[in-house]
Amino acid sequence: MNVEFYSLLGVILKTEILRVDPVSIDLNKIQKAAKILRDGGLVAFPTETVYGLGADALSPRAVEKIFKVKGRPPDNPLIIHIGDKLELEKLAKNIPQKVEVLIENFWPGPLTIVLQKSSIVPKIVNAGLETVAIRMPSNKIALSLINESKVPIAAPSANISTRPSPTSAKHVINDLNGMIDAIIDGGETNIGVESTVIDLTTTPITLLRPGGVTFEDLQKILGKNNIEKSKYNPDEKIAAAKSPGMKYRHYSPKADVFLVEGKSDRIELKVQEIATNFEKKGYKVGIITINQKHQYQADTVEFIGSDLETIAKNIFKTFRKFDNKDMDIIIMEGVKEKRLGLAIMNRLRKAAKKIIQV
Ligand code: TXA
Ligand code: MG
C-alpha cells in the first residue's frame, strides 16, 4: 500500500515494535528508543492525545525524515515536545508572563503554546516562521522517552498526511511500517483528538486549533476576553500565515464523509435518506451515530458513544475501521460545538466532503 513512500525514502527499514506497559514502564525499551532518537532516527510513541512520530528537534536531518515519511508539506510546522518546563527558555524567547498560569493549569497535558522562537530551533521544524509550537505531554511513556533521550522531540501525529490521526500502535503500523525505526506500543490513547494549539504572540491570545483542552477551560483560567477563536476560515488562504496546518485537508478516511448537523430528530431522517440514496446506487454505506435511539439501516452502523469524551476517543478509530471494511460512503452525525465538541466538529468538518445542515 505504501510503495510510493518506500521508494521516496529509497530504503525499507525494519521497524522495531517495542511493547511498553504504561503502568509499569520498561526503562530498557525506552532507552533503546531514546538512543534511536539521539542517533537521528524516527520513533513513533503514544501521547495522551494521539500517537506522535518523533525525531530530535535540533537535528534538521532527522526532522527532514518526518516530512518525507509522512508526505507532509514542508510549510506545515511541527510541535516540539518537552519533558521539563525549563526547556521552554531554550526554545523560545520573549516569553510572556501568562505562560506561567497556563503551565500551572494545563501542563503536562494536551495544550500546545506558540511563542517567538529562539535561534536554536532549526528552520525545518517550524517551516521558517518566527514562532515555535511547544507542548509537554502527560503520557508517562512520552515523558519518559523525552527525558531519556535528553533532546526536545519534534513530533506530528504518526499518520501519513491527510489520513486520520492514529490512536493505537496498530494504526501507526498500518501507515508507517517499514518506513521508521521503531514504534512504542503503549496501548490506546486516552483523548483521541490532538492537543489544543494557542498563539501567545497575539493579544488577545488566539485559539488556532481546538483540542484536548477546551476553549471554556482556557477562558476560565485566562479571563473571558483574553482569548479568542481564530477568525480565519480554515479554507481561506490567509489561514496559512497563522497556522499552516489549517489549510490542508485532514483526518480523512478513504470513503467520502457526509456530515449532518442540526436537530436530533431531523438528523435521523436526513442521515437515513442519504444512506438509502447511496445504497440504491450500489455504494457501501457506513453510518456513525452518537444517539443509541436512532434506528438506521445501512451496511454498517456504529454507535460511538453519546458523551463528548467517548466520541472524541472513538472518532479516528472508527474512520479507520470503516476504511478496513471498504466503505464508499460514511455518514456522520454532528455534535454541539461546546467543550470537547468544538475539537470534534473541527476534525469532522475537515474530514467531510459535504456538510449538510438540517
Ligand atoms: O496532540 C498533538 O498535538 C499531537 C501529538 C503527537 O502531540 N501532534 C500533532 O501534531 O497533532 P501535528 O503536526 O499533526 O499538528 C500540529 C499543528 C498543525 O496544525 C500546525 O500547523 C500547528 O500545530 N503549528 C505548529 N507549529 C506552529 C506555529 N509555529 N505556529 C502556528 N501553528 C503551528
Ligand atoms: Mg496531524
Tab-separated table of all heavy atoms in Angstrom, residues 101-148:
chain	number	residue	atom	x	y	z
A	101	VAL	N	0.696	30.704	34.211
A	101	VAL	CA	-0.614	30.218	34.658
A	101	VAL	C	-1.118	29.085	33.746
A	101	VAL	O	-1.791	28.152	34.190
A	101	VAL	CB	-1.627	31.387	34.774
A	101	VAL	CG1	-1.968	31.982	33.419
A	101	VAL	CG2	-2.906	30.934	35.461
A	102	LEU	N	-0.736	29.145	32.473
A	102	LEU	CA	-1.131	28.074	31.545
A	102	LEU	C	-0.417	26.773	31.896
A	102	LEU	O	-1.022	25.698	31.939
A	102	LEU	CB	-0.820	28.487	30.106
A	102	LEU	CG	-1.715	29.601	29.542
A	102	LEU	CD1	-1.154	30.157	28.246
A	102	LEU	CD2	-3.143	29.076	29.321
A	103	ILE	N	0.875	26.890	32.175
A	103	ILE	CA	1.656	25.704	32.531
A	103	ILE	C	1.125	25.091	33.828
A	103	ILE	O	0.940	23.871	33.933
A	103	ILE	CB	3.148	26.071	32.680
A	103	ILE	CG1	3.737	26.407	31.305
A	103	ILE	CG2	3.922	24.938	33.341
A	103	ILE	CD1	5.200	26.795	31.338
A	104	GLU	N	0.881	25.969	34.785
A	104	GLU	CA	0.387	25.509	36.085
A	104	GLU	C	-0.906	24.701	35.942
A	104	GLU	O	-1.108	23.692	36.591
A	104	GLU	CB	0.067	26.741	36.912
A	104	GLU	CG	0.555	26.713	38.330
A	104	GLU	CD	0.373	28.093	38.901
A	104	GLU	OE1	-0.759	28.365	39.343
A	104	GLU	OE2	1.338	28.907	38.851
A	105	ASN	N	-1.792	25.171	35.065
A	105	ASN	CA	-3.102	24.539	34.943
A	105	ASN	C	-3.172	23.401	33.936
A	105	ASN	O	-3.981	22.495	34.100
A	105	ASN	CB	-4.160	25.581	34.567
A	105	ASN	CG	-4.553	26.416	35.756
A	105	ASN	OD1	-5.373	26.005	36.563
A	105	ASN	ND2	-3.917	27.572	35.907
A	106	PHE	N	-2.368	23.477	32.880
A	106	PHE	CA	-2.592	22.527	31.776
A	106	PHE	C	-1.403	21.641	31.416
A	106	PHE	O	-1.528	20.770	30.553
A	106	PHE	CB	-3.067	23.278	30.533
A	106	PHE	CG	-4.328	24.063	30.754
A	106	PHE	CD1	-4.311	25.455	30.755
A	106	PHE	CD2	-5.538	23.411	30.985
A	106	PHE	CE1	-5.476	26.181	30.964
A	106	PHE	CE2	-6.704	24.129	31.199
A	106	PHE	CZ	-6.674	25.523	31.185
A	107	TRP	N	-0.232	21.877	31.995
A	107	TRP	CA	0.926	21.028	31.682
A	107	TRP	C	1.262	20.140	32.851
A	107	TRP	O	1.144	20.601	33.986
A	107	TRP	CB	2.130	21.904	31.338
A	107	TRP	CG	2.201	22.303	29.892
A	107	TRP	CD1	1.216	22.174	28.952
A	107	TRP	CD2	3.322	22.911	29.228
A	107	TRP	NE1	1.653	22.667	27.746
A	107	TRP	CE2	2.945	23.126	27.886
A	107	TRP	CE3	4.608	23.284	29.620
A	107	TRP	CZ2	3.803	23.703	26.946
A	107	TRP	CZ3	5.452	23.859	28.690
A	107	TRP	CH2	5.050	24.063	27.370
A	108	PRO	N	1.756	18.935	32.641
A	108	PRO	CA	1.762	18.298	31.334
A	108	PRO	C	0.331	17.995	30.879
A	108	PRO	O	-0.518	17.708	31.708
A	108	PRO	CB	2.546	17.012	31.569
A	108	PRO	CG	2.449	16.745	33.022
A	108	PRO	CD	2.270	18.060	33.710
A	109	GLY	N	0.101	18.088	29.562
A	109	GLY	CA	-1.248	17.839	29.057
A	109	GLY	C	-1.429	18.338	27.635
A	109	GLY	O	-0.476	18.802	27.003
A	110	PRO	N	-2.674	18.238	27.124
A	110	PRO	CA	-2.916	18.469	25.691
A	110	PRO	C	-3.048	19.944	25.290
A	110	PRO	O	-3.978	20.323	24.606
A	110	PRO	CB	-4.220	17.708	25.446
A	110	PRO	CG	-4.925	17.760	26.750
A	110	PRO	CD	-3.872	17.735	27.815
A	111	LEU	N	-2.098	20.759	25.730
A	111	LEU	CA	-2.087	22.177	25.337
A	111	LEU	C	-0.748	22.514	24.686
A	111	LEU	O	0.308	22.306	25.287
A	111	LEU	CB	-2.299	23.088	26.547
A	111	LEU	CG	-2.305	24.581	26.192
A	111	LEU	CD1	-3.562	24.947	25.405
A	111	LEU	CD2	-2.185	25.453	27.431
A	112	THR	N	-0.802	23.027	23.455
A	112	THR	CA	0.407	23.452	22.730
A	112	THR	C	0.422	24.971	22.686
A	112	THR	O	-0.577	25.594	22.326
A	112	THR	CB	0.392	22.892	21.294
A	112	THR	OG1	0.427	21.458	21.370
A	112	THR	CG2	1.581	23.388	20.486
A	113	ILE	N	1.571	25.560	23.066
A	113	ILE	CA	1.632	27.023	23.038
A	113	ILE	C	2.618	27.499	21.972
A	113	ILE	O	3.701	26.933	21.813
A	113	ILE	CB	1.982	27.611	24.421
A	113	ILE	CG1	3.275	27.026	24.967
A	113	ILE	CG2	0.855	27.358	25.408
A	113	ILE	CD1	3.622	27.576	26.348
A	114	VAL	N	2.198	28.528	21.246
A	114	VAL	CA	3.030	29.101	20.189
A	114	VAL	C	3.670	30.382	20.727
A	114	VAL	O	2.987	31.270	21.224
A	114	VAL	CB	2.187	29.394	18.924
A	114	VAL	CG1	2.995	30.167	17.887
A	114	VAL	CG2	1.659	28.085	18.324
A	115	LEU	N	5.016	30.411	20.661
A	115	LEU	CA	5.799	31.535	21.190
A	115	LEU	C	6.807	31.985	20.137
A	115	LEU	O	7.005	31.296	19.138
A	115	LEU	CB	6.575	31.079	22.435
A	115	LEU	CG	5.742	30.630	23.645
A	115	LEU	CD1	6.612	29.862	24.630
A	115	LEU	CD2	5.090	31.836	24.319
A	116	GLN	N	7.467	33.119	20.393
A	116	GLN	CA	8.549	33.513	19.486
A	116	GLN	C	9.672	32.501	19.613
A	116	GLN	O	10.041	32.102	20.708
A	116	GLN	CB	9.064	34.892	19.871
A	116	GLN	CG	8.164	36.016	19.406
A	116	GLN	CD	8.757	37.365	19.772
A	116	GLN	OE1	9.970	37.566	19.700
A	116	GLN	NE2	7.892	38.287	20.177
A	117	LYS	N	10.244	32.103	18.506
A	117	LYS	CA	11.261	31.046	18.548
A	117	LYS	C	12.636	31.601	18.914
A	117	LYS	O	12.938	32.770	18.650
A	117	LYS	CB	11.327	30.321	17.213
A	117	LYS	CG	12.041	31.077	16.132
A	117	LYS	CD	12.267	30.187	14.934
A	117	LYS	CE	13.448	30.672	14.115
A	117	LYS	NZ	14.720	30.062	14.499
A	118	SER	N	13.460	30.752	19.506
A	118	SER	CA	14.846	31.136	19.751
A	118	SER	C	15.679	30.695	18.551
A	118	SER	O	15.190	29.992	17.671
A	118	SER	CB	15.367	30.460	21.024
A	118	SER	OG	15.678	29.109	20.735
A	119	SER	N	16.967	31.088	18.569
A	119	SER	CA	17.786	30.809	17.381
A	119	SER	C	18.163	29.326	17.265
A	119	SER	O	18.597	28.891	16.198
A	119	SER	CB	19.034	31.682	17.396
A	119	SER	OG	19.723	31.428	18.592
A	120	ILE	N	17.981	28.542	18.335
A	120	ILE	CA	18.402	27.125	18.200
A	120	ILE	C	17.392	26.251	17.447
A	120	ILE	O	17.688	25.131	17.084
A	120	ILE	CB	18.736	26.439	19.562
A	120	ILE	CG1	17.494	26.267	20.430
A	120	ILE	CG2	19.850	27.142	20.290
A	120	ILE	CD1	17.727	25.220	21.525
A	121	VAL	N	16.192	26.772	17.204
A	121	VAL	CA	15.176	25.951	16.520
A	121	VAL	C	15.474	25.934	15.011
A	121	VAL	O	15.434	26.971	14.362
A	121	VAL	CB	13.755	26.501	16.754
A	121	VAL	CG1	12.714	25.678	16.007
A	121	VAL	CG2	13.437	26.548	18.253
A	122	PRO	N	15.790	24.756	14.455
A	122	PRO	CA	16.082	24.705	13.015
A	122	PRO	C	14.853	25.111	12.196
A	122	PRO	O	13.725	24.761	12.570
A	122	PRO	CB	16.421	23.235	12.766
A	122	PRO	CG	16.618	22.609	14.096
A	122	PRO	CD	15.864	23.428	15.091
A	123	LYS	N	15.098	25.814	11.099
A	123	LYS	CA	14.013	26.325	10.239
A	123	LYS	C	13.030	25.246	9.811
A	123	LYS	O	11.832	25.473	9.698
A	123	LYS	CB	14.626	26.911	8.960
A	123	LYS	CG	14.987	28.364	9.054
A	123	LYS	CD	15.101	28.917	7.627
A	123	LYS	CE	15.123	30.423	7.604
A	123	LYS	NZ	16.441	31.015	7.740
A	124	ILE	N	13.552	24.062	9.555
A	124	ILE	CA	12.699	22.995	9.022
A	124	ILE	C	11.590	22.603	10.007
A	124	ILE	O	10.501	22.214	9.612
A	124	ILE	CB	13.557	21.764	8.614
A	124	ILE	CG1	12.684	20.729	7.917
A	124	ILE	CG2	14.310	21.166	9.793
A	124	ILE	CD1	13.445	19.658	7.179
A	125	VAL	N	11.864	22.769	11.320
A	125	VAL	CA	10.882	22.373	12.339
A	125	VAL	C	9.644	23.258	12.266
A	125	VAL	O	8.513	22.789	12.341
A	125	VAL	CB	11.491	22.463	13.755
A	125	VAL	CG1	10.426	22.218	14.820
A	125	VAL	CG2	12.626	21.463	13.912
A	126	ASN	N	9.861	24.575	12.143
A	126	ASN	CA	8.715	25.487	12.224
A	126	ASN	C	8.440	26.160	10.880
A	126	ASN	O	7.852	27.233	10.829
A	126	ASN	CB	8.911	26.519	13.324
A	126	ASN	CG	10.069	27.434	13.009
A	126	ASN	OD1	10.973	27.044	12.283
A	126	ASN	ND2	10.026	28.645	13.507
A	127	ALA	N	8.860	25.505	9.811
A	127	ALA	CA	8.575	25.955	8.445
A	127	ALA	C	8.993	27.410	8.222
A	127	ALA	O	8.340	28.165	7.509
A	127	ALA	CB	7.091	25.767	8.139
A	128	GLY	N	10.095	27.795	8.877
A	128	GLY	CA	10.651	29.123	8.649
A	128	GLY	C	9.869	30.264	9.288
A	128	GLY	O	10.158	31.434	9.050
A	129	LEU	N	8.874	29.941	10.137
A	129	LEU	CA	8.104	31.004	10.809
A	129	LEU	C	8.958	31.655	11.906
A	129	LEU	O	10.018	31.143	12.273
A	129	LEU	CB	6.834	30.417	11.448
A	129	LEU	CG	5.803	29.759	10.534
A	129	LEU	CD1	4.730	29.057	11.361
A	129	LEU	CD2	5.157	30.812	9.638
A	130	GLU	N	8.474	32.754	12.445
A	130	GLU	CA	9.173	33.409	13.558
A	130	GLU	C	8.802	32.774	14.893
A	130	GLU	O	9.320	33.149	15.936
A	130	GLU	CB	8.801	34.902	13.603
A	130	GLU	CG	9.408	35.709	12.465
A	130	GLU	CD	10.925	35.557	12.419
A	130	GLU	OE1	11.569	35.676	13.467
A	130	GLU	OE2	11.453	35.275	11.311
A	131	THR	N	7.850	31.834	14.833
A	131	THR	CA	7.313	31.259	16.070
A	131	THR	C	7.617	29.766	16.162
A	131	THR	O	7.995	29.135	15.171
A	131	THR	CB	5.786	31.448	16.110
A	131	THR	OG1	5.244	30.905	14.915
A	131	THR	CG2	5.410	32.914	16.249
A	132	VAL	N	7.424	29.217	17.364
A	132	VAL	CA	7.608	27.778	17.559
A	132	VAL	C	6.477	27.264	18.460
A	132	VAL	O	6.040	27.965	19.372
A	132	VAL	CB	9.001	27.485	18.166
A	132	VAL	CG1	9.161	28.147	19.536
A	132	VAL	CG2	9.261	25.985	18.273
A	133	ALA	N	5.988	26.055	18.171
A	133	ALA	CA	4.899	25.461	18.954
A	133	ALA	C	5.496	24.424	19.913
A	133	ALA	O	6.291	23.578	19.498
A	133	ALA	CB	3.884	24.793	18.021
A	134	ILE	N	5.124	24.519	21.193
A	134	ILE	CA	5.739	23.651	22.209
A	134	ILE	C	4.668	23.041	23.110
A	134	ILE	O	3.711	23.713	23.482
A	134	ILE	CB	6.723	24.468	23.090
A	134	ILE	CG1	7.770	25.153	22.211
A	134	ILE	CG2	7.401	23.569	24.135
A	134	ILE	CD1	8.655	26.137	22.945
A	135	ARG	N	4.858	21.754	23.433
A	135	ARG	CA	3.949	21.169	24.419
A	135	ARG	C	4.645	20.134	25.284
A	135	ARG	O	5.627	19.519	24.854
A	135	ARG	CB	2.704	20.604	23.718
A	135	ARG	CG	2.574	19.116	23.552
A	135	ARG	CD	1.156	18.799	23.068
A	135	ARG	NE	0.962	17.394	22.740
A	135	ARG	CZ	0.415	16.498	23.565
A	135	ARG	NH1	0.030	16.859	24.776
A	135	ARG	NH2	0.255	15.250	23.174
A	136	MET	N	4.142	19.979	26.517
A	136	MET	CA	4.634	18.934	27.408
A	136	MET	C	3.517	17.913	27.581
A	136	MET	O	2.507	18.188	28.231
A	136	MET	CB	5.022	19.505	28.766
A	136	MET	CG	5.774	18.481	29.615
A	136	MET	SD	5.897	18.934	31.351
A	136	MET	CE	6.885	20.385	31.258
A	137	PRO	N	3.670	16.727	26.970
A	137	PRO	CA	2.594	15.730	27.057
A	137	PRO	C	2.525	15.124	28.455
A	137	PRO	O	3.515	15.139	29.197
A	137	PRO	CB	3.010	14.678	26.028
A	137	PRO	CG	4.476	14.835	25.871
A	137	PRO	CD	4.818	16.254	26.177
A	138	SER	N	1.367	14.572	28.813
A	138	SER	CA	1.231	13.970	30.143
A	138	SER	C	1.403	12.455	30.120
A	138	SER	O	1.584	11.844	31.163
A	138	SER	CB	-0.130	14.321	30.750
A	138	SER	OG	-1.162	13.785	29.948
A	139	ASN	N	1.348	11.859	28.937
A	139	ASN	CA	1.517	10.404	28.849
A	139	ASN	C	2.891	10.012	29.430
A	139	ASN	O	3.917	10.576	29.048
A	139	ASN	CB	1.397	9.989	27.375
A	139	ASN	CG	1.574	8.505	27.186
A	139	ASN	OD1	2.673	7.982	27.355
A	139	ASN	ND2	0.508	7.814	26.830
A	140	LYS	N	2.872	9.045	30.336
A	140	LYS	CA	4.103	8.689	31.071
A	140	LYS	C	5.176	8.108	30.146
A	140	LYS	O	6.370	8.332	30.346
A	140	LYS	CB	3.777	7.670	32.171
A	140	LYS	CG	2.864	8.209	33.263
A	140	LYS	CD	3.681	8.944	34.309
A	140	LYS	CE	2.886	9.393	35.525
A	140	LYS	NZ	1.681	10.181	35.239
A	141	ILE	N	4.746	7.370	29.136
A	141	ILE	CA	5.720	6.798	28.193
A	141	ILE	C	6.374	7.925	27.391
A	141	ILE	O	7.588	7.960	27.195
A	141	ILE	CB	5.039	5.775	27.256
A	141	ILE	CG1	4.554	4.570	28.068
A	141	ILE	CG2	5.972	5.337	26.133
A	141	ILE	CD1	3.723	3.561	27.285
A	142	ALA	N	5.554	8.877	26.957
A	142	ALA	CA	6.083	10.014	26.187
A	142	ALA	C	7.085	10.802	27.035
A	142	ALA	O	8.193	11.126	26.576
A	142	ALA	CB	4.937	10.914	25.729
A	143	LEU	N	6.700	11.086	28.278
A	143	LEU	CA	7.591	11.868	29.154
A	143	LEU	C	8.895	11.130	29.400
A	143	LEU	O	9.986	11.718	29.355
A	143	LEU	CB	6.892	12.153	30.487
A	143	LEU	CG	5.895	13.312	30.476
A	143	LEU	CD1	5.210	13.424	31.841
A	143	LEU	CD2	6.569	14.626	30.106
A	144	SER	N	8.781	9.833	29.630
A	144	SER	CA	9.967	9.031	29.893
A	144	SER	C	10.883	9.029	28.661
A	144	SER	O	12.104	9.178	28.772
A	144	SER	CB	9.509	7.621	30.270
A	144	SER	OG	10.581	6.757	30.368
A	145	LEU	N	10.292	8.903	27.480
A	145	LEU	CA	11.082	8.907	26.240
A	145	LEU	C	11.807	10.252	26.051
A	145	LEU	O	12.990	10.288	25.711
A	145	LEU	CB	10.162	8.628	25.043
A	145	LEU	CG	10.842	8.647	23.675
A	145	LEU	CD1	11.833	7.487	23.539
A	145	LEU	CD2	9.811	8.588	22.534
A	146	ILE	N	11.096	11.340	26.275
A	146	ILE	CA	11.718	12.664	26.100
A	146	ILE	C	12.865	12.821	27.101
A	146	ILE	O	13.966	13.249	26.749
A	146	ILE	CB	10.687	13.798	26.302
A	146	ILE	CG1	9.532	13.667	25.308
A	146	ILE	CG2	11.358	15.170	26.148
A	146	ILE	CD1	8.311	14.520	25.649
A	147	ASN	N	12.600	12.438	28.336
A	147	ASN	CA	13.625	12.634	29.364
A	147	ASN	C	14.841	11.735	29.140
A	147	ASN	O	15.978	12.163	29.326
A	147	ASN	CB	13.019	12.442	30.758
A	147	ASN	CG	12.074	13.597	31.084
A	147	ASN	OD1	12.279	14.728	30.634
A	147	ASN	ND2	11.020	13.307	31.832
A	148	GLU	N	14.610	10.502	28.716
A	148	GLU	CA	15.743	9.600	28.454
A	148	GLU	C	16.533	10.029	27.213
A	148	GLU	O	17.731	9.833	27.154
A	148	GLU	CB	15.255	8.157	28.263
A	148	GLU	CG	14.762	7.479	29.518
A	148	GLU	CD	15.826	7.383	30.604
A	148	GLU	OE1	17.003	7.140	30.280
A	148	GLU	OE2	15.482	7.569	31.791
